[in-house]
């Protein structure tokens, strides 16, 4: 089969994306398995997301290239091949929702997180996410499709019903979760602003341990920021292809260049290659892990855990006294009545050794 230049470029880029996604996400999974410091609750979800991205490299990129070439010629094989793309997209989205919920609980209610967000709960959430993603993604295989191809030439638009893709998949299980995640992260940073204002108030009172409290809280904030970037990049990579699908389905007279469609498809697959780099940029422990894996660097940097300070201590068997920061001692009760405590705040009151406060992380 003779391919034009555009086809050759597309197939070559899909191959590069597949190899890069496999290598990058395999390194993330190896790092989490090899280094106990990375085996915390948040990274359970990161590992699940990395598995989905790894499978994109193994299956989706090659299958997309085959579909572009009109393969496989078998009808059910073509439906299944194109449905796998949707399955792994849904898995990534649901894992990102899990991460957003986990970060929200860790910052909004750290004591509830400390008590209830266990590895068992994380595994249950991940399992539910994968099961739902598989069911939603394989709906075309179960019968919601366009039927056998007329010329036995496989193509996404030849077998996948765009009523399913636009109304059911995009509006129901892509756009809606993205909006939910946007609301969650917006509220997280609203909480962060409130807490930083309270920490600043403690700094004005020149309390000796405030700097430590601020440092710990900033690590939780940095974790949320890093994961918000992962969410933002996912949206930027996947929204264009869904917009083009919606245009094709909702506007019968509209058209766009085929190269634009191919670029949008490649962009969606590129998302699986960039996530490992985002983890490395956003988490100093991943940076140290990668350095050790390649260069045998010192583990000194492993003292900091940017993604969560709560789950780190639980892995050592401490269920309640999890990585508690030093309290800020208050000389009297006057600050209790000025809004520094409450059920909706991360600044909590302790009765041990007199009137003290600490920010739980």
């Amino acid at each position: 089969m003779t391919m034009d230049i555009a086809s050759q470029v597309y197939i070559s880029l899909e191959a590069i994306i597949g190899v890069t996604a496999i290598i990058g996400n395999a390194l993330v999974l190896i790092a989490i398995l090899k280094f106990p410091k990375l085996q915390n609750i948040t990274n359970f979800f990161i590992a699940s997301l990395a598995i989905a991205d790894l499978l994109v490299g193994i299956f989706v990129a090659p299958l997309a290239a085959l579909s572009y070439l009109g393969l496989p010629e078998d009808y059910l094989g073509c439906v299944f091949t194109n449905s796998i793309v949707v399955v792994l997209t849904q898995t990534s989205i649901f894992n990102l929702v899990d991460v957003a919920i986990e970060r929200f609980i860790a910052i909004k209610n750290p004591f509830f997180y400390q008590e209830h967000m266990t590895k068992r709960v994380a595994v249950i959430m991940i399992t539910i996410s994968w099961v739902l993603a598989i069911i939603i993604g394989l709906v075309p295989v179960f019968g919601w499709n366009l039927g056998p191809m007329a010329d036995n030439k496989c193509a996404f638009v030849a077998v996948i019903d765009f009523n399913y893709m636009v109304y059911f998949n995009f509006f129901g299980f892509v756009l809606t979760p993205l909006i939910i995640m946007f609301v969650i992260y917006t509220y997280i940073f609203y909480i962060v602003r409130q807490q930083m204002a309270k920490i600043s108030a403690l700094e004005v009172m020149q309390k000796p341990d405030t700097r430590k409290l601020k440092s710990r809280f900033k690590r939780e904030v940095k974790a949320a920021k890093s994961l918000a970037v992962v969410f933002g990049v996912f949206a930027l990579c996947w929204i264009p292809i869904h917009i083009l699908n919606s245009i094709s389905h909702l506007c019968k007279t509209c058209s766009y260049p085929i190269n634009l469609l191919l670029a949008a498809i490649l962009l969606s697959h590129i998302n699986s290659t960039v996530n490992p780099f985002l983890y490395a940029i956003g988490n100093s422990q991943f940076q140290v892990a990668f350095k050790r894996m390649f260069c045998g660097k010192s583990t000194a940097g492993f003292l900091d855990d940017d993604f969560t300070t709560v789950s780190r201590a639980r892995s050592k068997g401490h269920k309640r006294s999890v990585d508690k920061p030093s309290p800020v001692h208050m000389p009297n009760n006057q600050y209790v009545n000025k809004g520094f405590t409450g059920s909706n705040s991360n600044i909590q009151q302790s009765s041990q050794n007199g009137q003290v406060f600490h920010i739980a992380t």
Side-chain angles (χ1 to χ4, degrees), residues 20-36:
T20 306
I22 291 170
I23 294 174
N25 289 286
L27 288 175
V28 170
L29 293 171
I30 291 171
I32 293 174
L33 288 173
K34 186 174 181 180
F35 300 105

Side-chain angles (χ1 to χ4, degrees), residues 5 24 33 50 69 80 88 90 105 112 127 147 156 160 163 166 170 182 229 246 288 301 304 320 340 347 353 358:
I5 294 178
L33 288 173
L69 296 175
F80 180 77
L88 295 178
Q90 286 302 143
I105 297 173
F112 179 88
T127 302
F156 191 90
I160 301 298
N163 284 317
V166 173
F170 178 47
F182 177 79
V229 169
S246 298
V288 176
D304 295 325
R320 288 186 172 273
F340 284 93
I347 297 183
N353 298 324
H358 71 270

Side-chain angles (χ1 to χ4, degrees), residues 253-288:
T253 60
C254 299
S255 63
Y256 46 80
I258 183 63
N259 289 340
L260 179 61
L261 176 62
L262 295 179
I265 294 172
L266 288 170
L267 180 63
S268 66
H269 297 167
I270 285 173
N271 179 247
S272 297
T273 70
V274 300
N275 281 339
F277 297 100
L278 296 178
Y279 307 149
I281 293 171
N283 187 340
S284 63
Q285 287 203 344
F286 270 110
Q287 296 172 17
V288 176

Side-chain angles (χ1 to χ4, degrees), residues 142-323:
F142 301 147
W144 192 353
N145 58 63
L146 298 178
M149 306 89 72
D151 54 0
N152 290 329
K153 188 175 182 180
C154 182
F156 191 90
V157 296
V159 294
I160 301 298
D161 190 334
F162 269 50
N163 284 317
Y164 158 78
M165 279 302 299
V166 173
Y167 298 118
F168 182 77
N169 180 252
F170 178 47
F171 290 163
F173 295 101
V174 175
L175 190 59
T176 300
L178 289 178
I179 293 173
I180 291 173
M181 283 186 278
F182 177 79
V183 172
I184 289 176
Y185 280 114
T186 300
Y187 190 62
I188 283 176
F189 294 121
Y190 169 74
I191 295 174
V192 166
R193 289 189 61 183
Q194 287 186 321
Q195 299 308 318
M196 292 306 294
K198 292 173 182 178
I199 293 173
S200 297
L202 293 177
E203 286 183 316
V204 170
M205 292 182 282
Q206 297 182 344
K207 296 304 172 184
D209 290 337
T210 302
R211 185 172 298 177
K212 293 180 181 179
L213 303 180
K214 187 174 183 179
S215 176
R216 291 178 182 276
F217 188 70
K218 278 187 173 182
R219 285 203 294 271
E220 294 288 359
V221 174
K222 186 178 180 181
K225 287 181 178 179
S226 298
L227 295 168
V229 169
V230 174
F231 151 71
V233 170
F234 179 91
L236 289 175
C237 288
W238 279 98
I239 287 295
I241 184 61
H242 282 288
I243 289 177
L244 292 181
N245 287 341
S246 298
I247 291 174
S248 297
H249 186 62
L250 300 176
C251 180
K252 302 301 182 182
T253 60
C254 299
S255 63
Y256 46 80
I258 183 63
N259 289 340
L260 179 61
L261 176 62
L262 295 179
I265 294 172
L266 288 170
L267 180 63
S268 66
H269 297 167
I270 285 173
N271 179 247
S272 297
T273 70
V274 300
N275 281 339
F277 297 100
L278 296 178
Y279 307 149
I281 293 171
N283 187 340
S284 63
Q285 287 203 344
F286 270 110
Q287 296 172 17
V288 176
F290 292 148
K291 287 178 181 178
R292 286 196 61 194
M293 289 166 63
F294 289 106
C295 308
K297 296 289 184 180
S298 168
T299 60
F302 256 44
L303 294 176
D304 295 325
D305 186 351
D306 288 337
F307 272 158
T308 178
T309 57
V310 176
S311 56
R312 177 177 61 185
R314 184 186 287 114
S315 65
K316 298 179 181 179
H318 302 292
K319 189 171 182 180
R320 288 186 172 273
S321 58
V322 178
D323 197 24

